[in-house]
Amino acid sequence: MVHLSEETLSELLDGAPGAGAQEHLAACSVCQGELEGLRRLRAELRELPELEPPAELWSRVEARLPGAPKARRSRFGWPTLVLMQAAAMAAIFVIGLGVGRMSQPGEEGAVESPVALTAQPAAMTVADAMEVVQRLGTEYDAALANLQRLAQREGQPMPSLTEQRLASLDMLVEASRTALSVEPADPVLNSYLFAALAERDAVLLELGESQGEGSEVLWR
Amino acid sequence: MVELTEANLVRRARSGELEAMRELYELHASRVYTVVRRLAGDDDLAADLAQDAWANAFQKIRDFRGDAAFGTWVHRIAVNTALTRLRQSARRRDLEQSFDGKSTLGNPDRWPVTAAAERVTVQRALDMLPEGYRSVLWLHDVEGYTHEEIGTRLGIAVGTSKSQLSKARARLKALVVGAKAEVVDHGTS
């Protein structure tokens, strides 16, 4: 038996069959099965789920809209951003020390030579800079924890390391203060300043203890 | 309430408010992405098409008169954007070849037969169809376009659209069911 062609089955599916197709279909179970299969597939096509667009799609669309900012606007001027970047660099410097200490625990020069003084690309906005600083703050904590473990294992950290940490924290404090002079009510900046101050105080205490009584400690 | 909110968003978007545009985008992003993804058959191309569609829509939003819902309007723009782009692309050149049966893509006789063990989902099978088949199939069976409308949008004859549709359906079925075309003797009725 010659069965219905795919064109004729397609026409039947759309309700517009050619002459004789209905008669053949009524008598042919094979073609009935074919047609039913096509009907099911069409139903499945129509029931395919909606898809989620890529997460970054809106930013791509936005960049093409008239009036869209070329980059996110900053609440701060560039001098502030530069300082925030300097703070980030300082944190990286300290982390580099920690990493160096961890990676070469037995070597004399490991503590003195900063490792991974990573150059960060210029932050486009203060939000970017703050994100970097906050992330680095977390990493800084982790690096310090490593240093403390090493200190317990190998003795007290060298004063030069502590002084470098102090210098780095000074930079962070100054950067935070400068940023706060522009946005004094910014809660993130305030909390960051307090954290940096507390950290600096702790380092100063540590420095004082390592130098013993009578040593001169400069409280800044 | 939804209509009122959307109308308000459209009004704000027409005055250039980016936040309103974003809210409209979020309301309809999935629908727009889905239709261009189905037509494109490819994630990267779909993202490009969706980006074009939304950029076109917001650039032309002053032309939106509110005769239809915003979602319907932007959906139509998405389809038009996708079809225009596909027609202009190199992929589209393959499609043109498929219409005259000279290319491998357009000639089902040259396709490898799918074994039962290689059955695929409808979604995957749709992606595997040649672009011309996929476009006609989706536009007709899901979007509800007539062959005349498809012919106009794709620049093909109505008869070609009908032929492509029947071949697309048969191919999709072969991919999904794993049935061999040879199982049924496709003679004339």
Side-chain angles (χ1 to χ4, degrees):
Chain A
M1 174 186 277
V2 175
H3 294 287
L4 298 174
S5 67
E6 62 187 27
E7 287 82 6
T8 303
L9 287 167
S10 193
E11 288 171 355
L12 279 164
L13 185 65
D14 294 331
Q22 290 284 14
E23 289 76 9
H24 175 91
L25 187 68
C28 179
S29 60
V30 172
C31 287
Q32 288 170 14
E34 288 286 314
L35 183 60
E36 183 53 32
L38 290 175
R39 188 170 284 123
R40 276 199 305 270
L41 269 180
R42 185 173 64 180
E44 284 186 53
L45 268 182
R46 290 171 175 170
E47 290 167 5
L48 283 175
E50 281 200 341
L51 304 169
E52 286 302 313
E56 79 283 0
L57 185 58
W58 168 251
S59 60
R60 291 170 59 182
V61 173
E62 186 183 30
R64 291 179 53 182
L65 298 178
K70 294 303 177 190
R72 283 181 288 163
R73 290 194 183 95
S74 168
R75 290 177 298 164
F76 306 106
W78 278 106
T80 305
L81 295 183
V82 170
L83 281 171
M84 293 297 283
Q85 285 180 273
M89 293 295 289
I92 292 171
F93 178 76
V94 173
I95 291 166
L97 289 176
V99 172
R101 178 82 173 175
M102 281 296 290
S103 61
Q104 297 171 305
E107 297 177 16
E108 193 66 28
V111 174
E112 302 291 347
S113 306
V115 184
L117 182 56
T118 313
Q120 289 286 294
M124 293 301 295
T125 67
V126 73
D128 293 336
M130 286 176 63
E131 187 179 325
V132 169
V133 170
Q134 287 171 327
R135 176 172 56 78
L136 290 171
T138 304
E139 294 175 5
Y140 174 80
D141 290 343
L144 281 183
N146 288 335
L147 281 173
Q148 285 167 355
R149 279 199 296 275
L150 280 169
Q152 287 172 356
R153 198 169 67 194
E154 299 179 6
Q156 292 297 311
M158 296 172 64
S160 61
L161 170 62
T162 307
E163 286 166 358
Q164 289 182 64
R165 285 173 55 197
L166 189 61
S168 300
L169 287 165
D170 281 344
M171 289 181 67
L172 292 170
V173 168
E174 286 308 306
S176 302
R177 281 179 171 155
T178 305
L180 277 168
S181 69
V182 180
E183 286 287 326
D186 189 291
V188 177
L189 285 174
N190 273 294
S191 62
Y192 189 74
L193 173 62
F194 291 141
L197 283 170
E199 179 71 16
R200 194 184 67 168
D201 288 349
V203 173
L204 284 168
L205 279 173
E206 185 181 310
L207 185 61
E209 288 167 1
S210 70
Q211 290 175 337
E213 288 188 22
S215 298
E216 184 183 5
V217 177
L218 296 175
W219 293 89
R220 305 163 197 229
Chain B
M1 183 63 76
V2 171
E3 288 79 5
L4 285 175
T5 303
E6 187 160 286
N8 187 42
L9 288 173
V10 169
R11 182 183 57 74
R12 288 167 50 202
R14 289 178 70 169
S15 67
E17 268 192 52
L18 284 175
E19 187 54 37
M21 292 182 198
R22 175 167 188 137
E23 288 187 45
L24 285 170
Y25 167 85
E26 287 176 351
L27 281 171
H28 301 287
S30 296
R31 186 180 178 196
V32 165
Y33 180 73
T34 298
V35 70
V36 297
R37 174 62 181 80
R38 298 301 183 210
L39 290 169
D42 171 82
D43 289 340
D44 291 338
L45 179 58
D48 288 347
L49 292 172
Q51 179 187 340
D52 286 350
W54 280 107
N56 289 342
F58 287 131
Q59 284 160 6
K60 296 194 295 189
I61 197 167
R62 289 179 185 279
D63 299 337
F64 175 64
R65 296 192 302 268
D67 298 337
F70 178 80
T72 304
W73 182 74
V74 76
H75 182 88
R76 192 160 53 233
I77 288 177
V79 170
N80 290 339
T81 302
L83 294 182
T84 301
R85 173 86 168 263
L86 291 172
R87 194 165 50 227
Q88 293 169 344
S89 70
R91 295 163 62 115
R92 178 61 185 166
R93 286 196 291 277
D94 289 337
L95 170 63
E96 295 294 348
Q97 289 174 353
S98 78
F99 284 137
D100 62 22
K102 291 177 183 172
S103 76
T104 301
L105 285 178
N107 189 343
D109 294 338
R110 301 185 199 173
W111 288 337
V113 174
T114 304
E118 296 171 337
R119 290 175 187 177
V120 295
T121 64
V122 173
Q123 188 161 312
R124 175 77 185 114
L126 189 65
D127 289 346
M128 292 168 70
L129 289 179
E131 195 168 282
Y133 285 19
R134 184 172 56 248
S135 298
V136 173
L137 178 66
W138 188 263
L139 290 173
H140 186 277
D141 280 4
V142 180
E143 300 293 328
Y145 283 61
T146 65
H147 287 296
E148 286 75 15
E149 290 169 328
I150 293 170
T152 300
R153 281 174 166 74
L154 292 181
I156 59 176
V158 168
T160 305
S161 177
K162 289 181 178 176
S163 171
Q164 294 292 301
L165 178 63
S166 64
K167 288 174 180 172
R169 285 168 168 169
R171 180 57 181 164
L172 189 77
K173 184 169 179 291
L175 286 167
V176 173
V177 180
K180 296 181 180 179
E182 292 81 358
V183 168
V184 176
D185 177 11
H186 283 233
T188 54
S189 57

